[in-house]
């Protein structure tokens, strides 16, 4: 299989606020060690009061544009995937396109597929760029998701964004997008109705028939489609609703767990939903060496997984230094909140 | 309400990405954008100019009593930022407290929510600044 498109720019964003799992456990009378061990999440990111999925997306996109080193007006398409778009009706993509200076000569739309809308945007970009409908296409995964107070999701629901610019100029490609494969079924593991504030999930049903079946199905499907095998890859990035599921996938599939850890960010920033596996990919791109191969598999409830095979080129090493801020900078700055301030930040009280 | 939306919409390029203007005759940069150069008058030629978003703290103060709509955000830091290209802008400094800010501190522009009209109204976005440390 020959590659026609690749990632020419990428960028991440994580808000500066954090809350520790220990602090949430204290409020609900849970045993902190049991929670931290059970979920594999020590703390999570929390958006500022003036942040939402659109503002997160804009900053990640600006970082991606700087790495790509292209004029924003040359983006032919902007697709933003999220399950926490600020408006029910009015696109996030238009705000992002306007804020980065890509309007008006640009295709744009919002995508929604639980946690995999960001990788769906990458696939659309690959199609548009390969078919010459766009010179460059921007794909963003961004979320500021909420967990119901006291629910297990409250320990993990974080905030973040990752943006990728897809292009086809060989001398600009940082990581060749060699192949993609999707595994999709209708599975009721997690949902949120139109006017509901918090999502509902199928409890134990979210594991085997949903996450594991789709992530492993897409990954295995990609192996079969490309004729590649696990040994061909140096890194595996899987959707990470908690700190444990990606490591369990590695065990079930007989993959080297050490190849999963570099892209596992959820233990320190929480599950960033549409940005979760994309931020994991950013973490890997920040350290990968030319010639190395990365496998990325997202997961979105409902349910489906998108799997990608990528090969890092010589261009990555120089290009990534152009980012105004790398993922490590965002992850390293921390303003800790106690539960009271966290409630205010997430406007969890009815009167806020 | 309709007038409010029109004003918001017209100012989107300046608010979202610090789009300004410059006089190509005397090289003065304007933010907010101006259509006439106050020095060169009719001899001035005005064109659009994209500010870098980099600047430094010119003055600042902590806000402890917020205007309507920003009650949840207090205390926050409001500053006059001098952009490296010259103009001064008034904006909030995000992700910090008053004791973290000093005169001449370097800042960079960020895109944030400014306010939302009410639960069913428009969300207004625009520039704020962040300390670069
Ligand atoms: Zn002039």
């Amino acid at each position: 299989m020959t590659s026609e498109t690749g990632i020419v720019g990428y960028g991440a964003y994580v808000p500066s606020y954090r809350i520790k799992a220990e602090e949430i456990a204290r409020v609900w009378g849970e045993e902190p060690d049991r929670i931290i061990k059970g979920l594999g999440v020590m703390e999570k990111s929390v958006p500022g009061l003036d942040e939402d999925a659109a503002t997160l997306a804009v900053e990640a996109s600006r970082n991606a544009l700087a790495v790509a080193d292209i004029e924003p007006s040359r983006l032919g398409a902007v697709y933003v995937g999220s399950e926490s778009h600020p408006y029910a009706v009015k696109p996030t993509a238009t705000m992002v396109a306007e804020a980065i200076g890509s309007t008006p000569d640009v295709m744009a739309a919002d995508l929604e597929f639980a946690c995999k809308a960001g990788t769906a945007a990458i696939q659309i970009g690959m199609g548009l760029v390969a078919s010459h409908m766009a010179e460059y296409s921007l794909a963003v995964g961004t979320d500021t998701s909420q967990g119901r107070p006291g629910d297990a999701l409250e320990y993990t629901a974080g905030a973040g964004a990752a943006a990728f610019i897809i292009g086809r100029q060989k001398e600009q490609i940082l990581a060749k997008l060699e192949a993609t494969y999707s595994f999709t079924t209708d599975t009721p593991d997690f949902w949120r109705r139109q006017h509901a504030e918090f999502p509902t999930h199928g409890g134990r049903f979210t594991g085997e028939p949903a996450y594991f079946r789709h992530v492993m199905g897409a990954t295995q499907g990609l192996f079969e489609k490309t004729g590649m095998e696990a040994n061909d890859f140096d890194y595996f990035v899987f959707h990470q609703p908690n700190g444990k599921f990606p490591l369990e996938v590695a065990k079930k599939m007989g993959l080297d767990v050490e190849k999963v850890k570099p892209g596992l960010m959820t233990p320190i920033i929480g599950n960033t939903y549409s940005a979760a596996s994309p931020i994991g990919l950013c973490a890997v791109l920040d350290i990968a060496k030319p010639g190395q191969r990365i496998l990325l598999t997202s997961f979105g409830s409902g349910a489906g997984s998108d799997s990608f095979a990528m090969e890092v080129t010589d261009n990555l090493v120089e290009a990534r230094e152009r980012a105004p801020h790398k993922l490590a900078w965002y992850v390293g700055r921390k303003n800790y909140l106690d539960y009271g301030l966290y409630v205010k930040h997430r406007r969890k009280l009815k009167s806020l | 309400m309709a007038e409010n939306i029109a004003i918001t919409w017209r100012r989107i390029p300046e608010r979202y990405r610090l789009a300004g203007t410059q006089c190509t005759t005397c090289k003065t940069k304007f933010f907010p954008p101006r259509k006439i150069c106050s020095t060169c008058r009719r001899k001035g030629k005005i064109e659009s100019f994209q500010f870098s978003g980099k600047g430094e703290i010119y003055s600042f103060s902590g806000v402890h009593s917020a205007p309507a709509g920003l009650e949840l955000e207090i205390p926050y830091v409001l500053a006059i930022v001098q952009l490296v290209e010259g103009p001064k802008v008034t904006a909030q400094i995000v992700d910090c407290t008053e004791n973290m800010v000093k005169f001449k501190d370097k800042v960079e522009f960020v895109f944030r929510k400014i306010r939302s009209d009410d639960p069913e109204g428009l969300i207004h976005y625009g520039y704020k600044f962040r300390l670069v440390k």
Side-chain angles (χ1 to χ4, degrees):
Chain A
M1 176 168 301
T2 53
S3 157
E4 283 186 85
T5 65
I7 293 170
V8 301
Y10 69 98
Y13 177 77
V14 180
S16 72
Y17 299 96
R18 300 283 184 283
I19 185 165
K20 290 180 186 284
E22 198 184 332
E23 171 68 3
I24 300 175
R26 179 183 68 81
V27 169
W28 297 109
E30 298 269 6
E31 183 57 52
D33 285 349
R34 197 183 62 81
I35 296 283
I36 292 168
K37 279 213 185 81
L39 295 170
V41 175
M42 287 169 290
E43 56 191 46
K44 65 166 191 171
S45 54
V46 181
L49 280 158
D50 57 357
E51 295 187 292
D52 63 18
T55 67
L56 269 48
V58 167
E59 186 150 345
S61 301
R62 284 202 175 119
N63 285 327
L65 271 170
V67 169
D69 197 21
I70 56 168
E71 285 297 317
S73 57
R74 292 176 71 189
L75 290 178
V78 172
Y79 287 96
V80 181
S82 181
E83 58 146 66
S84 51
H85 290 291
Y87 290 94
V89 178
K90 186 182 182 309
T92 308
T94 55
M95 296 188 265
V96 173
E98 193 76 60
I100 61 175
S102 296
T103 51
D105 185 15
V106 65
M107 292 177 256
D110 286 359
L111 301 177
E112 191 270 314
F113 192 147
C115 298
K116 86 161 189 79
T119 56
I122 295 176
Q123 290 179 325
I124 291 172
M126 289 169 72
L128 292 173
V129 170
S131 65
H132 290 237
M133 278 180 71
E135 191 183 4
Y136 300 101
S137 186
L138 174 67
V140 189
T142 180
D143 263 308
T144 56
S145 296
Q146 295 255 39
R148 196 185 298 275
D151 188 276
L153 286 181
E154 196 182 19
Y155 293 95
T156 55
F164 302 90
I165 298 171
I166 318 299
R168 58 172 178 268
Q169 306 288 346
K170 198 165 175 268
E171 60 280 8
Q172 293 179 328
I173 289 177
L174 318 179
K176 284 186 265 180
L177 286 159
E178 298 178 295
T180 183
Y181 175 82
S182 293
F183 186 96
T184 311
T185 71
D186 187 35
T187 305
D189 58 322
F190 176 94
W191 60 89
R192 180 168 64 84
R193 293 284 295 272
Q194 183 87 345
H195 298 287
E197 223 167 314
F198 301 110
T200 303
H201 57 83
R204 295 204 166 274
F205 193 62
T206 56
E208 285 305 329
Y211 178 86
F212 290 104
R213 179 177 176 220
H214 292 81
V215 168
M216 290 165 62
T219 305
Q220 194 58 45
L222 187 79
F223 286 158
E224 282 160 24
K225 182 177 172 178
T226 58
M228 293 178 190
E229 51 183 72
N231 285 333
D232 293 319
F233 293 91
D234 300 283
Y235 299 99
F236 295 97
V237 181
F238 297 120
H239 177 55
Q240 34 203 276
N242 52 54
K244 298 186 79 176
F245 276 15
L247 300 175
E248 280 176 43
V249 169
K251 272 182 211 135
K252 285 175 197 271
M253 295 189 78
L255 311 174
D256 182 354
V257 169
E258 294 307 315
K259 292 181 177 180
V260 178
K261 287 180 180 168
L264 190 52
M265 302 304 294
T266 293
I268 50 171
I269 61 171
N271 174 14
T272 54
Y273 286 64
S274 298
S277 58
I279 283 181
L281 177 58
C282 290
V284 168
L285 288 171
D286 279 345
I287 57 164
K289 296 186 181 74
Q292 289 191 318
R293 271 224 178 83
I294 306 165
L295 185 143
L296 166 72
T297 302
S298 63
F299 171 70
S301 291
S305 281
D306 304 325
S307 205
F308 300 82
M310 291 167 234
E311 189 188 2
V312 173
T313 73
D314 294 335
N315 301 325
L316 176 64
V317 179
E318 199 187 317
R320 66 188 170 202
E321 298 309 318
R322 289 196 288 260
H325 298 296
K326 286 187 191 169
L327 177 62
W329 185 83
Y330 293 110
V331 171
R333 57 181 199 142
K334 295 173 182 183
N335 291 321
Y336 283 104
L337 302 173
D338 59 25
Y339 196 85
L341 281 171
Y342 167 70
V343 164
K344 183 170 120 171
H345 267 245
R346 297 313 331 250
R347 296 183 161 88
K348 279 178 195 268
L349 293 179
K350 265 282 171 260
S351 61
L352 297 182
Chain B
M1 186 64 166
E3 188 186 56
N4 181 11
I5 290 174
I7 292 167
T8 295
W9 173 73
R10 244 192 320 272
R11 295 184 63 188
I12 277 178
E14 82 181 65
R15 284 184 175 160
Y16 280 22
R17 56 174 189 270
L18 292 176
T21 56
Q22 69 171 332
C23 170
T24 56
T25 312
C26 70
K27 304 288 179 219
T28 307
K29 275 78 175 171
F30 299 107
F31 192 86
R34 283 191 182 189
K35 292 191 178 116
I36 295 166
C37 176
S38 45
T39 310
C40 310
R41 302 279 172 183
R42 277 192 310 183
K43 286 184 198 138
K45 190 177 170 296
I46 298 284
E47 64 177 30
S48 55
F49 178 79
Q50 178 57 55
F51 285 87
S52 66
K54 301 212 177 301
E56 60 180 39
I57 301 282
Y58 180 79
S59 74
F60 67 96
S61 64
V63 177
H64 300 273
S65 155
L70 293 177
E71 295 90 346
L72 280 183
E73 300 211 22
I74 52 164
Y76 61 87
V77 180
L78 196 64
I80 297 175
V81 169
Q82 174 137 37
L83 300 173
V84 291
E85 294 90 350
K88 294 189 186 79
V89 298
T90 302
Q92 191 179 330
I93 309 298
V94 302
D95 300 343
C96 70
T97 50
E98 200 180 337
N99 58 9
M100 295 161 76
V101 186
K102 289 192 311 293
F103 177 62
K104 291 252 178 203
D105 271 353
K106 299 270 178 282
V107 295
E108 63 187 359
F109 134 82
V110 293
F111 175 81
R112 294 290 177 102
K113 279 194 286 191
I114 303 294
R115 64 186 166 86
S116 39
D117 286 346
D118 57 65
E120 296 199 356
L122 202 61
I123 308 169
H124 300 264
Y125 295 87
Y127 57 83
K128 293 185 181 180
F129 290 81
R130 168 174 68 207
L131 298 172
V132 197
K133 280 186 178 152

